[in-house]
Amino acid sequence: MSAETHYDVIIAGAGIVGASVAWHLAASGARVAVIDAIGPAAAASGASDGAVSVASKKPGPLARLASASLLYTRELASQGVLAGAFHARPSFVFGQGEAELAALDALVAKLRAISGPVHVTGDGPAAQLACLGPGVERLITLNGEGHMPGHKAVRAYLSAPGITPIWPAPIHGFDIDDRGVTVHLADRRLRTGHLVSALGTATTELFPTLPIMPRAGQLFVTDRGAPGLLPGSLTAAAYLVAKTEAPDVLPLPPVVIDPLTTGQFLIGSSRENHADPNRVDFSTLRRLMERSVRALPLLAERRVIRAFAGIRAAVSDSLPIIGNLPGETRVTLATGFEGDGICLSALVGREIARMVHGLPPTDSIAADLATLSPARFVDARQEAWG
Ligand SMILES: Cc1cc2nc3c(=O)[nH]c(=O)nc-3n(C[C@H](O)[C@H](O)[C@H](O)COP(=O)(O)OP(=O)(O)OC[C@H]3O[C@@H](n4cnc5c(N)ncnc54)[C@H](O)[C@@H]3O)c2cc1C
């Protein structure tokens, strides 16, 4: 094995969370290495809907943190850090049938209770938007949310000076001693003062007892057409139900239609309990397509040019895991973001950088962040790290 190289911080995983952490640490002057088994945005961050959404978040800490992250993402975009990656746009949530209409009532109440950056600016029949079809019974219009393709944000963050990219290089393990952490790659060892693990579903390779499981989602992309036909994302209320209550059976497919700047539409996404990014099945896609066309009939004229799946990292209590390894301030975890990692990434990057520097969390979100600590998995901690 070759000689050791030293970095102030090593970040395991070049997804959007690892990339945001790297940018924040590099901006504060740290010498940072980002290691990925494959390359940047190779996993969930490169296969997601990309909604920076508060509406879809579970009420409580997650919705409040999403509000704070949305505001901070906008700030980073206006400073140029995420320029070209994040763009603000209206979002529309629609429903059909009793269960979905009730979910829309709950959405309006939740947004009112948070009184955050997202506001309901319309609530009524589909006629609010001329392009909608018979699959939309009621439409809520929201102002304040945005869209950020994960791969674009990763590229933007990792272009900062002071970040050393290391890939393809799977991490096989790590050791902690009095002076720091040693990270093991196939052909060498790297030394660091601090390890941040942002490995998504692969977190269990290094921390096997954490209750993280894969949850797949299928998506597809259409060909290009005239842009601007749909002015923002169009989300079925079933998607909110799926994310906040995770029922076994949904009333209707949980579709999200996102118009891209290219004039294409990105349409997703299912929720399936497996870890195979190559499993794309026509029956699931057909259900998503049928519902999409009933909601937005112009899609019937478009061709699907690509279908793919991404794998979310879901935690047993449906909350991310963010914080230092209990009893070990030199190792920090940031994982388990399931369907919320694009939205939360900016805030998480800033807060993990503070943790690494030994600073307290930002005051306004400290209590919510504390609920996400890995210390809540006491049994897992005892088994995994004694
Ligand atoms: C279908 C779908 C739709 C989604 N829609 C949204 C949405 O609209 N809004 C939203 O906010 N979120 C959404 N998400 C969730 C979001 O994509 C994830 O929460 C986020 O990308 C997680 O980022 P991450 O950096 O934690 O993990 P990942 O992006 O999974 O990155 C982990 C990285 O670790 C690397 N790695 C793995 N093992 C090793 C190893 N041994 N050594 C080194 N590197 C390793 C991988 O190659 C990968 O690059 C969606 C996800 C999916 C799948």
Side-chain angles (χ1 to χ4, degrees):
M1 217 176 247
S2 72
E4 297 172 351
T5 310
H6 189 277
Y7 296 94
D8 297 332
V9 186
I10 286 180
I11 294 153
I16 195 165
V17 173
S20 172
V21 173
W23 183 87
H24 284 84
L25 283 165
S28 69
R31 194 166 165 258
V32 179
V34 180
I35 305 177
D36 199 282
I38 304 167
S45 301
S48 97
D49 289 314
V52 183
S53 158
V54 173
S56 63
K57 302 300 171 277
K58 200 173 170 177
L62 215 49
R64 289 190 294 269
L65 290 169
S67 286
S69 195
L70 168 60
L71 284 171
Y72 183 51
T73 305
R74 284 193 209 156
E75 199 180 311
L76 289 179
S78 69
Q79 289 168 10
V81 178
L82 290 172
F86 174 81
H87 72 272
R89 44 110 172 101
S91 32
F92 304 95
V93 189
F94 72 97
Q96 188 179 32
E98 205 179 323
E100 285 201 325
L101 297 185
L104 293 181
D105 286 337
L107 168 66
V108 173
K110 177 180 72 179
L111 292 174
R112 210 171 275 140
I114 303 171
S115 69
V118 180
H119 304 282
V120 177
T121 55
D123 183 355
Q128 291 176 80
L129 260 188
C131 57
L132 298 186
V136 178
E137 199 176 324
R138 176 181 168 195
L139 185 75
I140 308 272
T141 305
L142 303 175
N143 202 8
E145 299 192 331
H147 189 242
M148 184 160 71
H151 64 280
K152 288 192 180 177
V154 168
R155 199 183 317 136
Y157 281 132
L158 293 181
S159 64
I163 300 174
T164 303
I166 300 177
W167 51 70
I171 296 173
H172 295 297
F174 67 93
D175 301 315
I176 309 173
D177 59 37
D178 297 344
R179 290 171 299 115
V181 182
T182 305
V183 174
H184 301 262
L185 306 181
D187 58 347
R188 63 198 140 136
R189 288 178 309 206
L190 302 174
R191 287 284 294 171
T192 181
H194 202 115
L195 174 67
V196 177
S197 174
L199 291 170
T201 52
T203 302
T204 49
E205 289 174 17
L206 296 190
F207 306 95
T209 58
L210 282 175
I212 298 173
M213 45 250 145
R215 188 156 293 154
Q218 299 184 42
L219 303 127
F220 58 94
V221 181
T222 71
D223 58 359
R224 290 171 186 236
L229 296 171
L230 177 68
S233 61
L234 183 62
T235 301
Y239 197 77
L240 311 184
V241 179
K243 286 192 70 162
T244 55
E245 293 165 29
D248 290 338
V249 181
L250 283 169
L252 288 164
V255 75
V256 180
I257 305 169
D258 233 301
L260 304 180
T261 49
T262 53
Q264 294 166 286
F265 290 95
L266 171 64
I267 302 175
S269 53
S270 58
R271 305 176 83 73
E272 299 152 44
N273 292 332
H274 66 80
D276 182 358
N278 299 316
R279 199 195 296 178
V280 178
D281 67 84
F282 192 64
S283 63
T284 303
L285 292 176
R286 191 158 78 183
R287 273 167 57 78
L288 294 174
M289 284 176 195
E290 281 170 355
R291 183 144 206 220
S292 303
V293 169
R294 277 184 61 73
L296 188 65
L298 63 86
L299 287 173
E301 307 302 320
R302 306 298 285 271
R303 280 184 315 140
V304 172
I305 59 163
R306 186 175 161 230
F308 55 102
I311 311 297
R312 310 170 180 98
V315 180
S316 57
D317 61 5
S318 305
L319 291 172
I321 300 173
I322 302 170
N324 289 338
L325 212 57
E328 182 45 75
T329 54
R330 284 164 301 182
V331 179
T332 307
L333 300 177
T335 186
F337 293 95
E338 200 173 351
D340 304 318
I342 304 294
C343 175
L344 293 173
S345 54
L347 184 93
V348 170
R350 183 185 76 195
E351 296 304 317
I352 296 274
R354 292 181 69 86
M355 282 176 208
V356 170
H357 287 305
L359 298 169
T362 302
D363 223 20
S364 53
I365 55 158
D368 286 328
L369 209 53
T371 65
L372 307 182
S373 163
R376 69 189 192 272
F377 298 113
V378 175
D379 293 343
R381 179 185 60 195
Q382 282 166 351
E383 280 175 51
W385 49 87

